[in-house]
C-alpha cells in the first residue's frame, strides 16, 4: 500500500508541473514567519550525523543560560542523521531510537519548554546527503509527521535528486507543509545551483546561495568526492546581483556560521560582521559546551545583531576597495547606515576614509548617502564607543583579516 501511495504522490507532483516553465510555479508558504533573518543553532558543522538527545538538551540549556537566547538565537535545528535508515511499515520516518531513546516528540517538547523553537532536516531527493530516507514521493506524509511533532523549522536539502527540478520539488514540499497546517519556517538548501532567489519567494522563507561553508577566511576546500566547501569570504562574494531578491520573509542564506570552530578570533569577528551586513540568517554551528568567552562575546554582540535584524531587511553590498581594505555598506531604517571596513590582506593596513568625497548609492533599493550634504554620527559597534562623525576623516589601523563596523546615525541633512 505504501508503494501505491508513494507512486500517486509522484504522479500528482509531476502532473502539477507538466505545463509551462517550472520557474513560474508558485508555492503556498506560510507568510510572515521570518520577517527578520532567523537565528539559532544547527548541528551539522561540528557534529555531522553524531547527534543525540543529550546534545540537544545540553545545547538548549546553554543557549538559554549563556544569553544566546536573550539576544535572538531561538531555533535548534537537527541536521542530517536524526532518523533510521529505513521508514516504518506505514512509510513514516523513524527517529533513531538509539540517539533519541525517548522519541523525537520528547526532544521537541524539551526545547519548547525552554522557550525555544525546534527544527529538523530532510532532503528533496530519494535519500539525504548522508544516506538516510529522503522525502521524494512522501512530501505530504512527511509534512504531516513534522506537524504532529510540532516542529517549527525545516531545512530541505538537494542530494540524490536525479530526474527532478528544484522549483517543482521545493514547491511541492512548500504546499505539503501548508496543507499539514502547522506554521513551519521552510529553508531551501539547494546550494544556489538553480537560482532559488528567482522563484523561491513564494515557496520558502530562506534559501542557500552556495555550497557548504568551511572554517577559513578565504579558501576553497576540495573534497575527494569532487566537490568543494568555501571560506566565508568566498561565499560572501560568490553570487553577484542577487541582493535585490532578499528581504523580509525571503532571505538569501549564506550558510551556517563557523564562528567558534577552526578560525582565530579575529577571523570569527569578521565572519560574524559580514553575515550581519549581508542580512544572512544567523545560525551558529559550534559546540556550545566548549565555547570560549571570546566566541560568546562575538555571537552575542547586540549592536551587530541589531544591524542584521534591522526591519528594512536590506542586504549590504561592497562599495569600494582601497589598498586591500574593502568598504561594505548596508542601508538601515531611519535613514541610517552600517559600514564595515574589512582588511582582506595578510598585512596590517591603515584606514583614512574621507566621507565628504564619497556618495553611496544603492542601485537596487534606491537609498543614497551623500556625505558632503549629510552628517552622520559614528559608533564603533565592536568597542561600543562613539567614533566622531562624518565631518572628519575616519582613521584607524586594521590587522590582517580584521574589521571595524560602524553605525552611521543621521544627524542633519542639507
Amino acid at each position: 500500500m505504501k508503494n501505491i501511495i508513494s507512486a500517486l504522490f509522484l504522479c500528482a507532483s509531476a502532473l502539477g508541473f507538466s505545463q509551462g516553465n517550472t520557474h513560474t510555479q508558485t508555492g503556498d508558504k506560510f507568510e510572515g514567519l521570518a520577517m527578520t533573518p532567523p537565528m539559532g543553532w544547527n548541528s551539522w558543522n561540528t557534529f555531522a550525523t553524531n547527534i543525540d538527545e543529550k546534545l540537544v538538551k545540553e545545547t538548549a540549556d546553554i543557549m538559554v543560560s549563556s544569553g544566546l537566547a536573550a539576544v535572538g538565537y531561538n531555533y535548534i535545528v537537527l541536521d542530517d542523521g536524526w532518523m533510521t535508515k529505513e521508514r516504518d511499515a506505514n512509510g513514516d520516518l523513524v527517529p533513531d531510537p538509539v540517539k533519541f531513546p525517548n522519541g523525537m516528540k520528547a526532544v521537541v517538547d524539551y526545547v519548547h519548554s525552554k522557550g525555544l523553537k525546534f527544527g529538523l532536516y530532510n532532503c528533496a531527493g530519494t535519500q539525504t546527503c548522508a544516506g538516510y530516507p529522503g522525502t521524494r514521493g512522501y512530501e505530504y506524509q512527511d509534512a504531516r509527521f513534522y506537524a504532529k511533532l510540532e516542529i517549527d523549522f525545516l531545512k530541505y536539502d538537494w542530494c540524490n535528486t536525479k530526474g527532478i527540478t528544484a522549483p517543482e520539488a521545493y514547491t511541492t514540499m512548500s504546499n505539503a507543509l501548508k496543507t499539514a497546517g502547522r506554521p513551519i519556517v521552510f529553508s531551501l538548501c539547494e546550494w544556489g545551483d538553480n537560482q532559488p532567489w528567482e522563484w523561491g519567494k513564494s515557496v520558502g522563507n530562506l534559501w542557500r546561495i552556495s555550497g557548504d561553508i568551511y572554517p577559513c577566511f578565504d579558501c576553497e576546500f576540495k573534497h575527494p568526492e569532487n566537490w568543494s566547501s568555501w571560506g566565508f569570504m568566498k561565499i560572501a562574494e560568490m553570487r553577484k546581483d542577487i541582493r535585490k531578491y532578499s528581504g523580509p520573509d525571503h532571505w538569501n542564506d549564506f550558510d551556517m556560521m563557523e564562528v567558534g570552530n577552526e578560525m582565530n578570533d579575529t577571523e570569527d569577528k569578521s565572519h560574524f560582521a559580514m553575515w550581519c551586513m549581508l542580512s544572512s540568517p544567523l545560525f551558529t554551528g559550534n559546540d556550545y559546551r566548549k565555547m570560549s568567552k571570546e566566541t560568546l562575546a562575538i555571537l552575542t554582540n547586540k549592536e551587530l545583531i541589531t544591524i542584521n535584524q534591522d526591519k528594512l531587511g536590506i542586504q549590504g553590498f561592497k562599495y569600494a576597495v582601497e589598498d586591500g581594505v574593502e568598504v561594505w555598506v548596508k542601508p538601515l531604517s531611519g535613514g541610517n547606515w552600517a559600514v564595515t571596513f574589512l582588511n582582506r590582506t595578510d598585512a596590517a593596513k591603515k584606514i583614512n576614509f574621507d566621507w565628504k568625497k564619497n556618495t553611496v548609492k544603492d542601485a537596487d533599493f534606491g537609498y543614497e548617502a551623500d556625505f558632503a550634504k549629510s552628517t552622520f554620527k559614528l559608533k564603533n559597534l565592536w568597542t561600543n564607543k562613539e567614533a566622531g562623525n562624518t565631518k572628519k576623516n575616519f582613521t584607524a589601523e586594521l590587522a590582517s583579516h580584521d574589521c571595524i563596523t560602524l553605525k552611521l546615525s543621521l544627524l542633519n541633512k542639507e
Side-chain angles (χ1 to χ4, degrees):
M1 177 60 73
K2 68 177 182 180
N3 291 332
I4 295 173
I5 293 172
S6 299
L8 288 173
F9 280 136
L10 281 168
C11 291
S13 297
L15 289 171
F17 290 86
S18 60
Q19 299 183 22
N21 186 339
T22 55
H23 282 240
T24 66
Q25 303 297 336
T26 58
D28 190 25
K29 76 177 185 184
F30 283 100
E31 300 283 350
L33 299 184
M35 298 307 290
T36 59
M39 299 172 63
W41 174 88
N42 180 288
S43 58
W44 184 256
N45 284 357
T46 295
F47 300 99
T49 60
N50 299 312
I51 52 179
D52 57 26
E53 179 178 321
K54 181 173 181 289
L55 172 64
V56 174
K57 289 184 175 181
E58 289 176 343
T59 299
D61 291 345
I62 298 171
M63 186 177 276
V64 173
S65 65
S66 66
L68 283 159
V71 296
Y73 297 93
N74 59 359
Y75 287 97
I76 289 183
V77 179
L78 277 181
D79 213 285
D80 208 348
W82 59 267
M83 63 190 101
T84 59
K85 287 296 182 85
E86 300 291 339
R87 293 174 179 266
D88 68 13
N90 296 317
D92 284 328
L93 298 167
V94 181
D96 189 318
V98 176
K99 296 177 180 178
F100 305 97
N102 295 304
M104 191 60 74
K105 186 63 167 65
V107 176
V108 177
D109 289 346
Y110 185 87
V111 170
H112 285 165
S113 76
K114 295 290 181 177
L116 304 172
K117 298 178 180 180
F118 187 85
L120 285 175
Y121 163 101
N122 210 305
C123 192
T126 54
Q127 288 186 322
T128 71
C129 298
Y132 294 83
T135 291
R136 185 61 177 168
Y138 292 88
E139 289 88 349
Y140 285 83
Q141 184 170 354
D142 287 355
R144 290 192 297 271
F145 176 79
Y146 300 139
K148 187 176 180 180
L149 285 177
E150 298 185 306
I151 74 169
D152 309 288
F153 188 103
L154 177 65
K155 176 184 173 181
Y156 204 51
D157 219 337
W158 186 239
C159 285
N160 302 299
T161 52
K162 184 178 180 179
I164 62 175
T165 68
E168 173 221 336
Y170 284 94
T171 300
T172 298
M173 193 64 210
S174 176
N175 292 337
L177 292 172
K178 189 68 177 293
T179 299
R182 178 173 175 80
I184 294 175
V185 172
F186 190 30
S187 171
L188 284 55
C189 182
E190 60 75 77
W191 322 317
D193 291 346
N194 296 278
Q195 296 77 50
W197 43 88
E198 294 181 354
W199 48 264
K201 183 177 179 180
S202 65
V203 176
N205 308 95
L206 57 154
W207 46 77
R208 281 274 296 278
I209 61 97
S210 75
D212 288 357
I213 197 169
Y214 194 77
C216 65
F217 183 80
D218 196 17
C219 73
E220 176 183 356
F221 181 82
K222 295 183 179 180
H223 296 268
E225 300 85 1
N226 198 31
W227 62 284
S228 292
S229 296
W230 309 96
F232 72 87
M233 284 308 300
K234 280 279 196 298
I235 292 177
E237 297 195 290
M238 186 171 288
R239 307 290 181 184
K240 306 299 182 184
D241 303 321
I242 68 167
R243 61 184 295 269
K244 61 188 176 184
Y245 296 103
S246 188
D249 214 28
H250 55 278
W251 305 103
N252 287 330
D253 178 4
F254 289 75
D255 205 358
M256 295 93 67
M257 294 183 291
E258 294 282 10
V259 176
N261 288 338
E262 299 176 27
M263 295 184 292
N264 61 46
D265 292 336
T266 298
E267 291 170 335
D268 279 350
K269 173 185 166 188
S270 293
H271 179 11
F272 188 68
M274 286 304 302
W275 262 223
C276 291
M277 292 291 293
L278 293 168
S279 297
S280 178
L282 297 180
F283 278 84
T284 57
N286 59 314
D287 187 344
Y288 287 173
R289 301 167 303 181
K290 301 177 180 178
M291 183 167 46
S292 70
K293 65 180 186 301
E294 291 82 9
T295 294
L296 180 61
I298 291 169
L299 292 174
T300 56
N301 184 313
K302 294 180 182 179
E303 300 284 355
L304 264 296
I305 291 171
T306 298
I307 299 302
N308 175 267
Q309 298 285 297
D310 185 78
K311 64 182 181 180
L312 273 187
I314 292 180
Q315 180 178 312
F317 61 97
K318 184 164 62 176
Y319 165 68
V321 184
E322 185 173 342
D323 191 28
V325 175
E326 297 181 351
V327 184
W328 290 74
V329 300
K330 174 178 165 61
L332 302 174
S333 54
N336 302 324
W337 291 77
V339 176
T340 291
F341 297 93
L342 175 68
N343 183 358
R344 289 290 292 268
T345 76
D346 294 329
K349 295 290 182 179
K350 291 185 178 180
I351 302 169
N352 186 4
F353 190 77
D354 188 343
W355 300 100
K356 295 186 293 296
K357 292 182 178 179
N358 288 274
T359 299
V360 176
K361 294 183 178 181
D362 181 350
D364 289 316
F365 294 97
Y367 291 89
E368 179 176 321
D370 185 343
F371 298 112
K373 297 180 179 179
S374 302
T375 303
F376 293 80
K377 179 176 64 175
L378 308 179
K379 184 177 182 180
N380 186 325
L381 302 188
W382 287 108
T383 63
N384 200 28
K385 294 181 179 179
E386 302 299 324
N389 59 54
T390 54
K391 288 184 177 180
K392 295 182 179 180
N393 290 14
F394 179 74
T395 60
E397 185 165 327
L398 269 183
S400 171
H401 296 179
D402 200 1
C403 73
I404 293 173
T405 301
L406 304 173
K407 181 177 180 181
L408 279 58
S409 300
L410 184 62
L411 287 175
N412 60 67
K413 185 175 183 180
E414 293 183 6

